[in-house]
């Protein structure tokens, strides 16, 4: 009998049963004590929704746009690596699922299908995630390939000068997922005598810890595509990103996989939005598991949310069909939340529709 999840969270259990323990732990796990991993989800749960009534919402319009591109709802597919570890069709299945839902997929630099394969798999708007390597020519080649393959933006991940300590990967002796995008560009051989996981060793040998703000300017100089900076968790860095020419900000703590005890992304979103002051769109990832979470993020100023692990769980459970079901579940829940909260369209979702723990503290002062 086929599993029929009733919500996004139930896909995780199906994925756990379907995947080898090493791969499930790789997708699920976070850094060290996994405090930030848990807090990303729990911080959403502490935010309350304040509905308005009698607004005459006979229809609900979830559509929005990002950098001029139309989205059926403010929900994107976040960059995550190694989709072939979850399903034989890998990122091609994920891309098709995202396209079927009329949303944008951000393809990971470490995808197990090449960016050219994904680009040719279906007709859709896609962004490409970039890490900056010690060998800058490799990063430049990836940007050029993404641009020539029709990707519409570059998402630069900036929170990984070193890989976070992911203890489940260390225990499992996790082998780095082979990135099709790096074939012929980088060796996947690693020095296993340095301790940690092989994934950590590979990152240490290849990623550039000297990455700084001036390098965003370098990336801008080699492409005409807009640059979004992913990994911002405070207002000051958000302002700096705008100063160096970023076209968008993604509030992200790497899904709790880098610095443990970093703040939950939803708890820092409003600070970043206020710092940006409308200059560029602000997105958020980390902890989104319900349509109510999407609603809360929009109310606190996000243009859209990005969803990572649930997409992987859907892929592991049912392939392309699972990706579609996960996105559609979130969309259905968002539509219902908007109807019950009295918001006929996304633009009607305002700060007055949510109450955060900080609001309660301020009311006592």
């Amino acid at each position: 009998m086929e599993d029929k999840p009733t919500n996004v969270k139930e896909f995780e259990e199906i994925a756990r049963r379907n995947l080898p323990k090493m791969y499930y732990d790789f997708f699920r796990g976070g850094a060290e004590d996994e405090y930030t991993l848990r807090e990303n989800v729990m911080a959403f749960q502490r935010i309350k929704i304040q509905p308005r009534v009698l607004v005459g919402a006979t229809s609900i319009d979830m559509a929005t746009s990002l950098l001029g591109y139309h989205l059926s709802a403010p929900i994107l597919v976040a960059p995550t690596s190694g989709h072939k570890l979850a399903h034989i069709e890998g990122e091609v299945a994920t891309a098709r699922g995202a396209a079927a839902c009329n949303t944008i997929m951000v393809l990971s630099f470490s995808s197990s299908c090449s960016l050219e394969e994904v680009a040719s798999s279906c007709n859709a708007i896609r962004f490409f995630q970039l890490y900056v390597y010690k060998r800058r020519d490799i990063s430049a080649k990836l940007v050029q390939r993404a641009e020539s393959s029709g990707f519409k933006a570059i998402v630069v991940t900036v929170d990984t000068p070193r890989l976070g300590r992911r203890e489940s990967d260390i225990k499992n002796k996790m082998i780095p997922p082979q990135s099709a995008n790096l074939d012929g560009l980088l060796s996947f051989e690693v020095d296993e005598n340095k301790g940690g996981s092989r994934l950590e060793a590979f990152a240490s040998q290849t990623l550039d810890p000297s990455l700084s703000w001036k390098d965003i300017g370098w990336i801008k100089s080699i492409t005409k595509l807009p640059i979004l900076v992913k990994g911002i968790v405070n207002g000051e860095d958000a302002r700096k990103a705008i100063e160096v020419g970023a076209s968008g900000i993604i509030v992200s703590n790497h899904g709790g996989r880098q610095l443990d005890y970093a703040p939950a992304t939803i708890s820092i979103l409003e600070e970043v939005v206020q710092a940006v002051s409308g200059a560029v769109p602000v997105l958020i990832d980390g902890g989104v598991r319900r349509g109510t979470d999407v609603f809360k993020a929009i109310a606190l100023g996000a243009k859209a949310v990005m969803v990572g692990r649930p997409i992987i769980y859907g892929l592991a459970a049912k392939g392309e069909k699972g990706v579609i079901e996960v996105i559609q579940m979130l969309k259905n829940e968002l539509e219902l939340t908007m109807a019950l909260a009295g918001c006929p369209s996304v633009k009607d979702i305002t700060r007055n529709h949510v109450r955060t723990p900080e609001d309660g503290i301020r009311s006592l002062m």
Side-chain angles (χ1 to χ4, degrees):
M1 183 175 177
E2 185 182 21
D3 290 293
K4 293 185 177 180
T6 55
N7 59 62
V8 164
K9 291 179 285 187
E10 292 177 1
F11 274 96
E12 181 176 353
E13 175 57 24
I14 304 173
R16 187 190 65 79
R17 296 199 303 264
N18 286 358
L19 294 174
K21 183 179 185 299
M22 177 186 289
Y23 296 165
Y24 171 72
D25 287 351
F26 168 68
F27 289 127
R28 184 214 63 81
E32 297 185 350
D33 296 328
E34 298 188 340
Y35 170 84
T36 297
L37 174 63
R38 295 188 299 273
E39 185 67 6
N40 273 349
V41 174
M42 294 176 65
F44 271 107
Q45 296 173 354
R46 289 192 288 270
I47 299 172
K48 307 299 188 295
I49 296 174
Q50 297 189 143
R52 302 299 300 272
V53 298
L54 299 176
V55 298
T58 56
S59 63
I60 302 297
D61 181 8
M62 296 183 291
T64 189
S65 64
L66 176 64
L67 302 181
Y69 299 109
H70 179 267
L71 299 170
S72 61
I75 302 168
L76 284 74
V77 175
T80 50
S81 67
H83 288 203
K84 280 191 176 181
L85 300 182
H87 188 272
I88 191 170
E89 291 186 314
E91 288 81 5
V92 166
T94 308
R96 288 174 177 161
C101 296
N102 192 18
T103 192
I104 293 172
M105 173 186 180
V106 183
L107 181 69
S108 170
F109 82 104
S110 56
S111 57
S112 45
C113 299
S114 72
L115 60 89
E116 289 85 2
E117 286 179 282
V118 174
S120 63
S121 67
C122 55
N123 185 24
I125 302 299
R126 274 179 291 273
F127 297 169
F128 181 71
Q129 178 210 30
L130 179 73
Y131 278 50
V132 177
Y133 297 94
K134 293 176 181 177
R135 282 184 53 192
R136 296 302 175 90
D137 62 306
I138 293 175
S139 297
K141 287 176 182 176
L142 291 176
V143 169
Q144 292 159 6
R145 285 169 58 190
E147 189 164 0
S148 64
S149 296
F151 286 75
K152 301 302 183 184
I154 302 297
V155 175
V156 184
T157 294
V158 297
D159 59 5
T160 315
R162 293 172 60 179
L163 201 70
R165 183 176 173 81
R166 305 166 192 177
E167 295 179 1
S168 59
D169 291 342
I170 295 171
K171 291 176 182 177
N172 292 330
K173 301 185 186 302
M174 179 64 194
I175 299 170
Q178 295 285 310
S179 172
N181 294 318
L182 299 177
D183 283 348
L185 298 176
L186 273 177
S187 170
F188 290 92
E189 296 298 320
V190 297
D191 182 355
E192 298 186 50
N193 298 318
K194 293 185 177 181
S197 68
R198 293 180 66 182
L199 184 64
E200 184 180 346
F202 176 73
S204 177
Q205 290 175 195
T206 57
L207 299 181
D208 189 354
S210 72
L211 184 69
S212 65
W213 289 111
K214 70 178 186 298
D215 294 306
I216 303 300
W218 170 72
I219 298 169
K220 284 179 63 66
S221 75
I222 62 172
T223 182
K224 297 178 182 178
L225 298 178
I227 306 297
L228 290 83
V229 177
K230 178 178 181 291
I232 300 295
V233 288
N234 62 71
E236 184 177 354
D237 281 349
R239 284 188 288 269
K240 287 183 178 178
I242 294 172
E243 289 172 4
V244 297
S247 297
I249 303 292
I250 302 173
V251 179
S252 174
N253 54 33
H254 217 107
R257 294 165 72 84
Q258 280 298 99
L259 176 64
D260 202 15
Y261 296 93
T265 49
I266 191 64
S267 71
I268 208 71
L269 173 62
E270 199 165 21
E271 175 186 330
V272 172
V273 168
Q274 291 171 356
V276 168
S277 192
V280 298
V282 176
L283 289 77
I284 181 175
D285 70 7
V288 175
R289 300 293 184 270
R290 287 281 190 181
T292 48
D293 297 337
V294 182
F295 183 94
K296 293 170 184 178
I298 301 303
L300 291 171
K303 184 67 173 177
V305 305
M306 298 172 64
V307 181
R309 286 183 178 89
I311 298 294
I312 287 289
Y313 298 148
L315 180 68
K318 301 183 179 183
E320 178 184 333
K321 180 182 177 184
V323 172
I324 294 171
E325 287 186 18
V326 165
I327 297 172
Q328 194 59 52
M329 279 183 177
L330 290 173
K331 288 172 66 174
N332 290 345
E333 290 178 359
L334 174 61
E335 182 181 33
L336 179 59
T337 302
M338 290 171 63
L340 294 176
C343 298
S345 69
V346 171
K347 71 177 186 298
D348 295 313
I349 304 173
T350 70
R351 181 62 173 82
N352 292 331
H353 286 100
V354 293
R355 187 172 179 83
T356 68
E358 290 74 22
D359 293 335
I361 293 171
R362 282 193 288 268
S363 70
L364 297 175
M365 295 176 67

